[in-house]
Amino acid sequence: MNRTIRFLLLLALLGLASVAAAQVDSARASAPDAVAQLVARLDLEQYKATIKGLTQFGDRRQGTDRNRNAVNWIEAQLRNYGCTDIGRIKYDYQPPSPPSPEGRGGQGVRPARDTTRASGGGRYRGIRARTGVNTDSLQQPDARVRAIDMQPTTPGAREEVYCTKVGTGHPSEMYIVGGHMDGHGWGEAANDDGSGTALVMQLARVFSAADVHTDRSIRFVLWNNEETGLNGARAYVEQRQALQGKEDPPGSGKYPEPTWLGMIQHDMMLWDHGMPRADGTLSPEQRPEADVNIEFQSSAKFAPQAQQLAFVFQVANEKYATDYPATVGAHMTNTDSAPFQDVVAAISLRENERGTQIGAGWDPNWHQPTDVYSTYSDKDFRLGLNAAQTTLAAVAGLVGATIK
Ligand SMILES: [Zn+2]
C-alpha cells in the first residue's frame, strides 16, 4: 500500500471521508511518494528570500505606491515560477467615515480589558499584554524603513493578484490558497503578512513546476486591504461567487472561476514564543513546543466541512512537516477566510490562535515597527516553513497531485 493511499485511509478512519473520498480516485494514481517529493521542494532559504523580497516595499500599506509596486513584484515572481494563468481583482476602497469602531487587527475601540471573551469566541487565559497598531513614524528607529513607509494612503482603485494551477481532470473545481500582501505599523510587515504571502508564493512555485500535474485546480491569491477590514477578500467573493463552475466560453473547457472546494488562509506564520510573562516581556526565542494553529469558525454555515478540512491539514502536518506540530481550534476570526466561511469550508493557518493568543499580546511585533526581517531567527522562519509543508501536503493530496 503506498503512502498516499495510507494517508487517505487514515482520513477515512478519522471520519473525514466526505472531504477525502472525492479525491481518492485521482490520488490513487499519484506516484507512491509524490506528496513527500513535493514537500521536499520547499526550502528554508527560498522561503526567507521571498519574505526578504517583500520587505523591500516596507509595510506595503494599501493605497500607496509601495503597495502597488509590491503587487507588480509578486505577479512577476508568479510568472517566473511558471504560474502563467494570472489575473487581477479590481475594486474600489473608500475608508469608512467616521472610522469604524470595530477596526481590524487591534485598531479602534476594543472591549474592556476585564472581558474574558476573545474575538472569534475563545476565552482568554493567563497573562495578557497590550496590543495595538503603531501609527507614529518616529517609533521606527531605522531611517531607511521610515522613508520607505512615508507615503500616506489615499482612497480609490485597488488591485490584487492571483494565479491558478489548472487541474487536468477537474479544471472546474478548485481550492483557494491565500495570504494578505498589505500591512501597516511603520515596519516591513515581514511576519504580518510577508510570512503568509511568501508561503503562498512558494506553494505556487512548487505546484507550477512543469512536471507537476493536479487533477483539480488550485488558485493562489494575495489579498489586498486585509488590514482595513478584509476588503480585498470581500470584493473577490462579491465579484466571483456567482461565476463558480461556469464554462466560459461554452465548450471551451475553460472555467474562469472554478467551483470553490475550500479556502485556506495564511496570516502571521513565524512567531510562537509563548505567553507574555508577568512583567509583559516575552521569551526572545521560539519556544520548542511551538505549533501551527489551524482554525475554523464554529459559528460558520460550513463549520462541519471546515472542521473536517482542518483535520485533513492536521493529519498532513503530522505526516509531512519536519519540525513543528499543528493544533486545530474552532475560533477562526479577523482573517480573509471569514468572507468565505458561509459559502465553503474555510480555515486559516497562523503562528498562534488569533483570538485568545495574538489578541492577548503573544506577538509583540504585531503591527509594530519591530515587524522587520531582522527581528526573526531561523527558528522563527522554520515555523513558517512547517506551515508551508502542512498546506502543500494537504492540498497536494486533496487535488491529486502527481509528478511526471
Ligand atoms: Zn495579518
Side-chain angles (χ1 to χ4, degrees), residues 55 57-59 66 137 140-150 186-189 369 371-373:
T55 63
F57 307 101
D59 65 7
R66 61 188 181 278
S137 65
Q140 175 50 260
D142 186 332
R144 183 190 63 85
V145 176
R146 204 187 309 142
I148 294 172
D149 288 346
M150 197 60 81
W186 291 93
E188 291 178 334
D371 189 4
V372 292
Y373 184 85

Side-chain angles (χ1 to χ4, degrees), residues 104 180 192-193 226-227 267-268 350 367:
R104 276 277 308 117
H180 73 86
D192 185 12
D193 188 24
E226 193 270 356
E227 300 290 5
D267 195 353
M268 300 171 70
R350 287 193 199 250
H367 299 157

Side-chain angles (χ1 to χ4, degrees), residues 176 178-180 223 226 230 233-234 237 260 262-267 295-297 300 306 309 331-350:
I176 301 172
H180 73 86
W223 312 110
E226 193 270 356
L230 321 178
R234 289 186 204 286
V237 172
W260 305 343
M263 196 298 196
I264 304 116
Q265 173 71 4
H266 304 83
D267 195 353
E295 296 184 273
F296 67 97
Q297 175 46 253
L309 185 64
H331 305 303
M332 182 182 82
T333 183
N334 289 71
T335 196
D336 287 317
S337 41
F340 291 84
Q341 70 183 22
D342 292 331
V343 185
V344 67
I347 62 172
S348 73
L349 277 70
R350 287 193 199 250

Side-chain angles (χ1 to χ4, degrees), residues 47-246:
Y47 177 60
K48 288 166 61 181
T50 309
I51 296 173
K52 182 77 181 161
L54 288 161
T55 63
Q56 71 185 293
F57 307 101
D59 65 7
R60 303 181 297 285
R61 189 174 183 192
Q62 57 81 31
T64 63
D65 289 339
R66 61 188 181 278
N67 174 280
R68 286 181 280 272
N69 292 339
V71 174
N72 292 337
W73 182 83
I74 292 166
E75 178 172 331
Q77 308 311 306
L78 295 172
R79 224 174 269 286
N80 287 345
Y81 300 150
C83 198
T84 49
D85 194 336
I86 290 176
R88 289 198 183 195
I89 301 292
K90 300 179 181 180
Y91 58 97
D92 185 79
Y93 175 68
Q94 299 294 331
S97 158
S100 157
E102 187 51 42
R104 276 277 308 117
Q107 76 235 47
V109 177
R110 299 178 67 79
R113 282 294 296 273
D114 60 1
T115 183
T116 60
R117 286 292 155 191
S119 175
R123 239 180 96 190
Y124 289 120
R125 319 266 185 165
I127 298 160
R128 293 168 63 185
R130 72 176 295 275
T131 60
V133 179
N134 173 58
T135 56
D136 178 4
S137 65
L138 298 177
Q139 295 298 312
Q140 175 50 260
D142 186 332
R144 183 190 63 85
V145 176
R146 204 187 309 142
I148 294 172
D149 288 346
M150 197 60 81
Q151 188 190 46
T153 177
T154 48
R158 299 284 184 271
E159 296 191 13
E160 60 196 2
V161 65
Y162 62 86
C163 78
T164 311
K165 172 74 176 182
V166 178
T168 50
H170 297 83
S172 63
E173 300 176 2
M174 71 172 175
Y175 287 88
I176 301 172
V177 175
H180 73 86
M181 51 72 62
D182 67 310
H184 58 177
W186 291 93
E188 291 178 334
N191 188 22
D192 185 12
D193 188 24
S195 62
T197 299
L199 184 159
V200 174
M201 292 171 67
Q202 286 297 300
L203 263 59
R205 174 181 65 78
V206 171
F207 280 110
S208 299
D211 62 345
V212 177
H213 300 265
T214 63
D215 184 52
R216 287 177 166 76
S217 299
I218 313 166
R219 179 159 290 171
F220 304 95
V221 193
L222 291 316
W223 312 110
N224 206 341
N225 277 92
E226 193 270 356
E227 300 290 5
T228 51
L230 321 178
N231 307 89
R234 289 186 204 286
Y236 184 99
V237 172
E238 282 167 17
Q239 293 179 23
R240 315 289 300 186
Q241 182 177 354
L243 306 178
Q244 287 182 78
K246 291 187 178 159

